[in-house]
Amino acid sequence: MPPDLDPAAVSLLNVLAGVHAEDLARPTPCVGWTVGHLLSHVDGLTRAFAAAADKDPGPLTAGPPPPPDPQPEPGWTTRIPRQVEALVRAWHQP
């Protein structure tokens, strides 16, 4: 049975909705990582985990992620939520 990622996705989407550009330089509990670093990390990981669910071998699933950039790529406010939703859909597939 695939994992139920719905609750975690809802929580993540709720947090993302409260993050704004002026928050990107703020510190996080992750030592040395800002909000921007975490968003960059989530941006890549949502794509990688969706690719893994889709059994899509390639650069996204071939190894550990690179260190995150201090700022997410432009468009993150709409792209990351779409990617979270795609990840959840992918993991619902048998």
Side-chain angles (χ1 to χ4, degrees), residues 6-91:
D6 292 11
V10 168
S11 293
L12 178 56
L13 292 172
N14 286 335
V15 169
L16 287 172
V19 178
H20 306 285
E22 59 269 13
D23 299 320
L24 298 179
R26 294 183 67 169
T28 69
C30 300
V31 177
W33 284 31
T34 63
V35 170
H37 285 104
L38 285 178
L39 287 174
S40 293
H41 185 63
V42 167
D43 193 2
L45 285 182
T46 53
R47 289 183 282 125
F49 279 98
D54 289 336
K55 313 284 188 289
D56 182 12
L60 291 174
T61 59
D69 292 327
Q71 298 289 314
E73 293 290 323
W76 65 268
T77 58
T78 55
R79 183 182 60 256
I80 294 175
R82 283 194 316 265
Q83 290 172 185
V84 169
E85 292 167 1
L87 176 143
V88 170
R89 279 193 310 276
W91 281 94

